[in-house]
Amino acid sequence: MATEENTEGFIPVHGGYRNLITFQKAEIIYDGTVYFCRHFLKKYDRTTDQMIQAARSGKQNIAEASMASATSKETEIKLTNVARASLEELLIDYEDYLRINNLKKWERTDRLSLRFNELNKTQGASYNTFKKAIEHEDPEISANIMCCLINVTSYLLGRQLVALERAFLNEGGLRERMTRARINRRNKQ
């Protein structure tokens, strides 16, 4: 949850991660991964735990980065990148599943990949938007739709990192905001 704007101090509005498309997509990825692992992997397979933890890490680090942004742009940037790295690990697990099981990995031009692109344009897309594909009885479709979701989210996290870098270069970090706030307070007295 975002804090109220602080016009007198130096702690900026932060939080609001539930409004980030990257968080929303990461939540779909987490839920979809739990479904996939429960339905297509063995119950005590170590990969199940690894995949669910990677999906969870992607989602949770986006939230933590957003909350940390108030006092540490460095932490926000690092955690956003950790989220992206966790999702990359998860992507490799899905690709491994497809390869090991001799299932086709969709190309961007495949009919179902193009259908994903259409669904992905849905405003306010949720798990239900992709549910038919995620919960498909064919693991090839389920794994590929998860790969598509991860690729899109990873791309968006990359753009988010560029925006965070730009914001830091333009606005500075906590120490600079603290100094500006203190100077402004002195000048008003």
Side-chain angles (χ1 to χ4, degrees), residues 66-113:
S66 179
M67 294 306 294
S69 69
T71 57
S72 178
K73 289 297 174 192
E74 179 183 1
T75 300
E76 180 183 22
I77 290 167
K78 284 181 179 179
L79 290 173
T80 300
N81 197 54
V82 169
R84 190 173 183 210
S86 293
L87 292 178
E88 182 67 21
E89 175 187 345
L90 181 61
L91 176 65
I92 293 168
D93 284 330
Y94 280 111
E95 291 172 343
D96 288 347
Y97 179 89
L98 290 166
R99 187 183 68 256
I100 289 167
N101 290 286
N102 295 314
L103 300 172
K104 180 182 175 191
K105 183 177 184 302
W106 296 345
E107 299 295 326
R108 291 184 60 107
T109 56
D110 284 338
R111 177 181 60 84
L112 293 173
S113 183

Side-chain angles (χ1 to χ4, degrees), residues 166-182:
R166 195 174 310 121
F168 177 78
L169 291 173
N170 291 332
E171 301 160 20
L174 179 65
R175 291 181 195 269
E176 291 166 292
R177 289 192 311 269
M178 290 170 72
T179 301
R180 278 194 300 267
R182 184 68 182 131

Side-chain angles (χ1 to χ4, degrees), residues 4-174:
E4 292 181 22
E5 187 169 348
N6 185 355
T7 56
E8 291 291 315
F10 53 85
I11 297 178
V13 174
H14 61 284
Y17 56 88
R18 291 186 188 277
N19 296 322
L20 293 172
I21 293 172
T22 50
F23 180 83
Q24 294 164 5
K25 294 224 180 284
E27 189 168 61
I28 295 167
I29 292 166
Y30 174 77
D31 294 350
T33 298
V34 169
Y35 177 87
F36 183 89
C37 290
R38 287 182 180 164
H39 288 83
F40 299 115
L41 298 178
K42 292 181 176 89
K43 187 174 185 177
Y44 298 106
D45 185 341
R46 189 165 187 264
T47 305
T48 297
D49 291 337
Q50 297 276 346
M51 289 178 72
I52 290 172
Q53 285 307 311
R56 182 185 181 280
S57 176
K59 179 174 77 76
Q60 300 301 97
N61 277 292
I62 293 168
E64 190 175 350
S66 179
M67 294 306 294
S69 69
T71 57
S72 178
K73 289 297 174 192
E74 179 183 1
T75 300
E76 180 183 22
I77 290 167
K78 284 181 179 179
L79 290 173
T80 300
N81 197 54
V82 169
R84 190 173 183 210
S86 293
L87 292 178
E88 182 67 21
E89 175 187 345
L90 181 61
L91 176 65
I92 293 168
D93 284 330
Y94 280 111
E95 291 172 343
D96 288 347
Y97 179 89
L98 290 166
R99 187 183 68 256
I100 289 167
N101 290 286
N102 295 314
L103 300 172
K104 180 182 175 191
K105 183 177 184 302
W106 296 345
E107 299 295 326
R108 291 184 60 107
T109 56
D110 284 338
R111 177 181 60 84
L112 293 173
S113 183
L114 295 173
R115 176 66 180 134
F116 166 80
N117 291 341
E118 291 172 24
L119 288 174
N120 194 48
K121 293 176 185 172
T122 305
Q123 288 284 43
S126 68
Y127 184 87
N128 285 331
T129 307
F130 305 98
K131 182 177 181 174
K132 187 175 177 183
I134 292 171
E135 296 184 8
H136 200 279
E137 64 186 26
D138 183 348
E140 182 178 297
I141 292 174
S142 184
N144 273 292
I145 204 74
M146 295 305 298
C147 288
C148 291
L149 283 162
I150 293 166
N151 282 326
V152 165
T153 307
S154 184
Y155 169 78
L156 293 171
L157 284 167
R159 293 197 45 200
Q160 192 171 328
L161 283 165
V162 169
L164 291 171
E165 176 186 35
R166 195 174 310 121
F168 177 78
L169 291 173
N170 291 332
E171 301 160 20
L174 179 65

